Amino acid sequence: MTGIIHALASLNYHRSFLYRYLGLLAIFLPLIFLITTLKTVVSKTGAGLSEAMNQGKLPLVDQKWLDNLIHNLYGIVPFYNFALFLCSTLFAIALAFLSYRYCRQRKQEFATCQRLGIPPRKIILHLFAEFFLPLISCLVTLFLFMIVFQRGTETIIQNLQSALIEKFTSVKAMATEAGTVQSGEANAPLMLQLPRNGLLLVDSFQLNREHWVTVALISLLDTSLLLSLVLMATLSLSLLICKRRLKK
């Protein structure tokens, strides 16, 4: 707890760095979180369609056709992986410049800490805390935003998902005979009809609130893991370079 308080005090003192860092997070964090969420939704949709077929909720869809549909649906995943790699790389490059400049700015302070006998491990942990605390705060804010504004964010994500699936996969071209199931008596007016192509069927699969919370949690964890790896790698590199320059 003391370390967190010291890190917060240091961030308050170095406000110019904090503002630049928050600006960097504001650019890349929502984008990475969005791509991760889209990727998670694809996984949940494919699993949901498989479950619906196994439970007999889609009795007029051929099993082989559905398997092909799900396979083509997952064809969007490589695009999401590439987008994540690109965004993470750009974020890492920008963060490397920012962290190196910040470490260089504080090298005199680090040298003073070493002369006072403060272990290097504590100095490194303190610096890592200064980078991780704003990141955690932003991630929690994004997660709460997704939960509070579920209907709006889900609509935006599903519309974007449909547009990307239509552009980068052949799901829309997978036509099927739209069967009908008569409800009740033979002359009952109510008829249930399946969509005529794969994209319409995918769009018709809605995530309930429980599944949406699961999607948000999975996306949060995946994004946290990815950005944590980027932070640890870039900060370690910046500290190594600063340490070498400090010895000169």
Side-chain angles (χ1 to χ4, degrees), residues 139-156:
L139 283 170
V140 172
T141 301
L142 275 177
F143 174 77
L144 293 177
F145 183 87
M146 283 188 66
I147 299 302
V148 174
F149 300 99
Q150 174 188 348
R151 180 173 299 181
T153 54
E154 184 176 5
T155 299
I156 293 173

Side-chain angles (χ1 to χ4, degrees), residues 190-208:
L190 180 61
M191 305 290 288
L192 302 178
Q193 191 173 45
L194 291 174
R196 289 188 178 277
N197 67 61
L199 184 58
L200 292 175
L201 180 58
V202 170
D203 288 343
S204 68
F205 183 80
Q206 301 291 321
L207 298 176
N208 58 31

Side-chain angles (χ1 to χ4, degrees), residues 19-155:
Y19 295 151
R20 288 193 293 268
Y21 183 44
L22 289 176
L24 190 64
L25 291 176
I27 295 173
F28 288 99
L29 181 55
L31 187 58
I32 293 175
F33 191 77
L34 173 62
I35 298 171
T36 305
T37 302
L38 289 170
K39 184 178 176 181
T40 305
V41 170
V42 166
S43 177
K44 295 293 292 184
T45 301
L49 288 172
S50 297
E51 182 181 354
M53 183 63 182
N54 293 333
Q55 293 179 356
K57 295 179 181 179
L58 301 174
L60 298 176
V61 178
D62 179 75
Q63 178 70 54
K64 184 178 180 180
W65 183 88
L66 183 63
D67 290 339
N68 290 333
L69 172 66
I70 295 173
H71 176 75
N72 288 338
L73 175 64
Y74 286 135
I76 192 68
V77 173
F79 170 76
Y80 290 150
N81 289 335
F82 173 76
L84 281 174
F85 173 77
L86 180 62
C87 291
S88 300
T89 301
L90 293 175
F91 176 67
I93 293 173
L95 183 63
F97 280 106
L98 179 64
S99 59
Y100 171 73
R101 184 176 178 182
Y102 187 51
C103 291
R104 184 178 179 184
Q105 177 185 346
R106 299 184 59 184
K107 66 179 182 179
Q108 206 63 34
E109 179 183 340
F110 295 153
T112 302
C113 291
Q114 289 182 348
R115 286 196 297 268
L116 291 175
I118 299 177
R121 177 178 60 85
K122 286 189 175 182
I123 300 175
I124 294 174
L125 290 177
H126 176 81
L127 185 64
F128 271 59
E130 291 184 29
F131 278 84
F132 273 96
L133 287 176
L135 174 62
I136 293 172
S137 300
C138 292
L139 283 170
V140 172
T141 301
L142 275 177
F143 174 77
L144 293 177
F145 183 87
M146 283 188 66
I147 299 302
V148 174
F149 300 99
Q150 174 188 348
R151 180 173 299 181
T153 54
E154 184 176 5
T155 299

